[in-house]
Amino acid sequence: MRAVAGAAFYAPVDAELRELERRLLDVGRGAHPTFQAAVEHLFSSPGKLLRPTLVFLSARFGTRPDREVVLNLAESLELVHTASLVHDDIVDRADMRRNVPTVNAMWSDDAALIVGDYLFAKAYALAAVLPKPEVIAIVAQTVFALCDGELNEVTMERSLPTESAYLERIELKTASLYAACCQGAALLTDADPEHVAALGAFGTNLGLAFQITDDILDVAGDDRDFGKTVGRDLAEGMPTLPMIYAVMEQDGHGGELAHRIVATDKTEAEVRDLLAVIRRGGGVARARERALAFHDAAMKALDALPDRPEREALRDVADFVVSRVR
Amino acid sequence: MRAVAGAAFYAPVDAELRELERRLLDVGRGAHPTFQAAVEHLFSSPGKLLRPTLVFLSARFGTRPDREVVLNLAESLELVHTASLVHDDIVDRADMRRNVPTVNAMWSDDAALIVGDYLFAKAYALAAVLPKPEVIAIVAQTVFALCDGELNEVTMERSLPTESAYLERIELKTASLYAACCQGAALLTDADPEHVAALGAFGTNLGLAFQITDDILDVAGDDRDFGKTVGRDLAEGMPTLPMIYAVMEQDGHGGELAHRIVATDKTEAEVRDLLAVIRRGGGVARARERALAFHDAAMKALDALPDRPEREALRDVADFVVSRVR
């Protein structure tokens, strides 16, 4: 495993992850050369593979684990995730993601649009042959949620959302996919309904904790990552939870700060200045508490599962998600 | 039926077409308001509905017609078609399609990107519950073909393709979907394998005849449609069959003409001048012969089917496709 070298939670499902990596690199076989090249570019550094790890760990709580169909679900959901990133990077005009050039930067917006369509189509082709219609429906619902979340962003009014509007957005854009990984794998392997529900609740809360942590890092992360993973949301005028809390802290006086946060034409100096303002207040700490509350809810959901190494691994994933520093 | 008011080939499947129109308008229900508005915009003037008509007519040659699953296939393939148009219009920077503003023009490129993703997802969700895996595979293969064709266009070198490269492109971008409509419907309704093959051949040849005719109209159509359905390909530097034949006609001297055809920064005067040059030669007539040859092959494929009103209707569709004047 690459990005989180040696993290213990990968160990129980190492063989499946290796097989998945092999299959992902093979997704472009027989297709257009540009798609093949994009696939190689995207999957030769596949990132943390947290979502497939959740699929494989969750599948261990089923009563009829079938390695092949579980691999298909993991591949399908990872392709959904990758396709949505490729399209998001067009919308966000992003040149880099995780220190790797984006598909739109390497080729063009037009090519990235079609590469994303291709990846979605591959994802659905894998989902369509899963033996359970309700799991196919979960994959489709996840894509609808991602589209809803992205349309929320694209059509968003230039104003600060409420806390609950923010939470709804990250549930659609991030947590729905985490929930689909956990719940889909449990359903697919005929897990006890109580375990399916527990894994679904775990996935949703984990996804919320993950996204809030990500949004905190963008505000309070290491300044050496400025312009990469730090300060991006402010530069784009994308309001997140620590910013919302920072504005709330100012009682009736937050209007000007809110206005500066959602502006899209900031200079680098303005972004750095806003970062300093937000870091000075209590918004980051309060957002951190919120992330930890979702982490705790995720942990609690796992209590319903039998005590197995895979449950410990899921707990480790949850700890990892909120303890990241970059 | 709207665009081809009263065309006789709609009559045998009129009830199914009305039901389909109702369902298409309902695709956005419960989704994001922007998606709902885009769906209403796209399907309140649904065009010729040739593809669903082919699905419904072809399904009549099955041994076990099931109205509901046939409607699902027709809706799925029409959504695939619409999604690919929405994305193509972004790539082509098109403001209008069939005298209606495009989604990218009405909202934005970003919104259109996600609306297309949504439509694809709806299409796959419908396809995934079809009772035959081989028909699901046909829908997936069709999307791969559309992506391959579109990637060919996007990554195309600025040079004139050969006749066979052109035919490969339109087979991927147009004929594959026509074939999927005819063959998919026949497979879905348990048609005799000979009839499935005949309808597949009919669809492919019909699609090729349709696209060549479309490309001829863009060169030789009514000048009152200039800038809308006429002269668009030349303005975009998109080489088509009548242009390829026009260049071939000039023996070794076509290099300069080819160079002018594929240029992308033409003035309106240059487009009009090129149109006149191409219309003067025999390229248009030769392309027309090619379209008619595919039309004849489509007709011949139908000989393998039983003599029924639906076979006559398919013949009428084929005649309509090559006799359009705009």
Side-chain angles (χ1 to χ4, degrees):
Chain A
M1 296 308 99
R2 325 255 157 110
V4 197
F9 53 75
Y10 292 128
V13 293
D14 186 62
E16 289 98 317
L17 285 168
R18 284 172 198 276
E19 175 60 18
L20 178 75
E21 287 190 310
R22 201 192 58 68
R23 292 188 187 191
L24 288 172
L25 275 168
D26 210 37
V27 158
R29 187 152 49 150
H32 192 282
T34 301
F35 181 66
Q36 285 185 39
V39 162
E40 194 173 320
H41 175 72
L42 285 163
F43 294 119
S44 58
S45 56
K48 294 188 288 288
L49 291 177
L50 280 186
R51 291 162 194 82
T53 301
L54 293 172
V55 171
F56 297 133
L57 289 172
S58 300
R60 298 290 176 86
F61 295 92
T63 59
R64 285 198 316 178
D66 177 330
R67 187 173 186 269
E68 188 57 30
V69 299
V70 171
L71 271 164
N72 281 342
L73 176 66
E75 185 177 355
S76 176
L77 289 171
E78 186 65 10
L79 290 175
V80 162
H81 173 59
T82 309
S84 75
L85 294 184
V86 168
H87 279 181
D88 285 359
D89 285 339
I90 301 172
V91 172
D92 298 340
R93 282 98 182 133
D95 295 328
M96 302 287 282
R97 178 180 285 277
R98 287 191 280 104
N99 292 316
V100 174
T102 57
V103 175
N104 46 307
M106 288 277 288
W107 285 271
S108 66
D109 281 5
D110 292 346
L113 172 57
I114 307 157
V115 166
D117 287 350
Y118 233 124
L119 291 168
F120 272 126
K122 292 277 180 189
Y124 294 117
L126 283 163
V129 294
L130 293 173
K132 284 182 185 277
E134 61 269 38
V135 182
I136 301 173
I138 284 181
V139 177
Q141 291 301 331
T142 304
V143 179
F144 299 145
L146 293 174
C147 289
D148 274 332
E150 188 69 9
L151 270 182
N152 275 348
E153 285 189 15
V154 165
T155 62
M156 190 169 58
E157 292 187 24
R158 288 282 129 214
S159 65
L160 206 73
T162 60
E163 179 186 16
S164 75
Y166 164 85
L167 290 174
E168 192 199 321
R169 171 160 62 80
I170 70 169
E171 173 147 9
L172 290 169
K173 281 219 53 172
T174 306
S176 63
L177 190 52
Y178 277 86
C181 290
C182 300
Q183 195 182 12
L187 269 174
L188 198 58
T189 53
D190 280 336
D192 183 293
E194 192 201 352
H195 298 164
V196 174
L199 284 162
F202 171 76
T204 299
N205 283 289
L206 180 73
L208 294 170
F210 174 90
Q211 189 58 55
I212 296 172
T213 303
D214 215 57
D215 291 344
I216 291 169
L217 285 173
D218 198 283
V219 166
D222 194 316
D223 272 325
R224 282 170 297 180
D225 295 324
F226 183 85
K228 287 184 287 187
T229 54
V230 172
R232 282 288 298 263
D233 291 332
L234 276 173
E236 289 166 15
M238 171 58 62
T240 62
L241 197 59
M243 307 178 201
I244 293 166
Y245 287 152
V247 170
M248 284 165 69
E249 213 178 30
Q250 309 209 348
D251 299 316
H253 310 289
E256 193 243 337
L257 179 58
H259 189 74
R260 288 169 66 194
I261 285 171
V262 298
T264 52
D265 51 354
K266 299 182 186 80
T267 64
E268 190 188 312
E270 284 170 321
V271 172
R272 288 186 186 276
D273 187 46
L274 266 173
L275 276 180
V277 170
I278 296 165
R279 287 172 182 179
R280 226 173 303 158
V284 171
R286 193 171 159 194
R288 178 113 191 107
E289 272 167 38
R290 203 78 168 92
L292 289 174
F294 286 121
H295 164 272
D296 294 350
M299 288 296 207
K300 189 145 181 46
L302 293 179
D303 290 347
L305 296 178
D307 183 7
R308 290 192 197 148
E310 288 84 1
R311 188 174 73 161
E312 277 320 292
L314 289 173
R315 293 199 192 281
D316 290 345
V317 173
D319 285 341
F320 165 72
V321 153
V322 292
S323 64
R324 288 182 305 144
V325 292
R326 63 199 310 173
Chain B
M1 295 307 98
R2 326 260 157 107
V4 197
F9 52 76
Y10 292 127
V13 293
D14 186 61
E16 289 98 317
L17 285 167
R18 284 171 197 277
E19 174 61 17
L20 178 76
E21 287 189 310
R22 202 192 58 68
R23 292 189 187 189
L24 288 172
L25 274 168
D26 211 40
V27 158
R29 187 151 52 151
H32 192 282
T34 301
F35 181 65
Q36 286 185 38
V39 162
E40 195 173 320
H41 175 72
L42 285 164
F43 294 120
S44 57
S45 55
K48 295 186 289 288
L49 292 177
L50 280 186
R51 292 163 193 80
T53 301
L54 293 173
V55 171
F56 298 133
L57 289 172
S58 300
R60 299 290 176 86
F61 295 93
T63 60
R64 286 198 315 176
D66 177 331
R67 186 172 186 269
E68 189 57 31
V69 298
V70 172
L71 270 165
N72 281 342
L73 176 66
E75 185 177 356
S76 176
L77 289 172
E78 187 66 9
L79 290 174
V80 162
H81 173 59
T82 309
S84 76
L85 294 184
V86 169
H87 279 181
D88 286 359
D89 285 339
I90 302 172
V91 171
D92 297 341
R93 283 100 182 128
D95 295 328
M96 302 287 282
R97 177 180 287 275
R98 288 191 277 106
N99 292 316
V100 175
T102 58
V103 175
N104 46 307
M106 289 276 289
W107 286 272
S108 66
D109 282 5
D110 293 346
L113 171 56
I114 306 156
V115 166
D117 287 350
Y118 233 123
L119 291 169
F120 272 126
K122 293 277 180 189
Y124 294 118
L126 283 163
V129 294
L130 293 173
K132 285 186 184 274
E134 61 269 39
V135 182
I136 301 173
I138 283 180
V139 177
Q141 291 300 330
T142 303
V143 179
F144 297 145
L146 291 174
C147 289
D148 274 332
E150 188 68 9
L151 270 182
N152 274 348
E153 285 188 15
V154 166
T155 62
M156 190 170 57
E157 292 187 25
R158 287 282 129 211
S159 66
L160 207 71
T162 61
E163 178 186 15
S164 75
Y166 164 85
L167 290 174
E168 192 199 319
R169 171 160 62 79
I170 69 169
E171 173 146 12
L172 291 169
K173 282 220 53 176
T174 306
S176 63
L177 190 52
Y178 277 86
C181 289
C182 300
Q183 195 182 13
L187 269 174
L188 199 57
T189 53
D190 281 337
D192 182 294
E194 192 201 351
H195 299 164
V196 174
L199 284 163
F202 171 76
T204 299
N205 283 289
L206 181 72
L208 295 169
F210 174 90
Q211 189 58 54
I212 296 172
T213 303
D214 215 57
D215 291 345
I216 291 169
L217 285 173
D218 198 285
V219 166
D222 194 317
D223 270 327
R224 283 169 296 181
D225 295 325
F226 183 86
K228 288 184 285 188
T229 55
V230 172
R232 284 288 299 263
D233 291 333
L234 275 173
E236 289 166 15
M238 171 57 64
T240 62
L241 197 57
M243 306 178 202
I244 294 166
Y245 286 154
V247 169
M248 284 165 69
E249 214 178 27
Q250 310 208 346
D251 299 317
H253 308 289
E256 194 243 336
L257 179 58
H259 189 73
R260 288 170 65 197
I261 286 170
V262 299
T264 52
D265 51 354
K266 298 182 187 80
T267 64
E268 190 189 311
E270 285 172 319
V271 172
R272 287 186 187 276
D273 187 46
L274 266 173
L275 276 181
V277 170
I278 295 165
R279 287 172 182 181
R280 224 173 299 152
V284 171
R286 193 170 159 195
R288 177 112 191 109
E289 272 167 39
R290 204 77 167 91
L292 289 175
F294 286 121
H295 164 272
D296 295 350
M299 288 294 204
K300 190 146 181 45
L302 294 179
D303 291 345
L305 296 179
D307 183 6
R308 288 190 200 153
E310 288 84 1
R311 188 175 72 163
E312 276 321 291
L314 290 173
R315 292 200 195 280
D316 290 344
V317 173
D319 284 341
F320 165 72
V321 153
V322 291
S323 63
R324 289 184 303 145
V325 292
R326 61 198 311 170

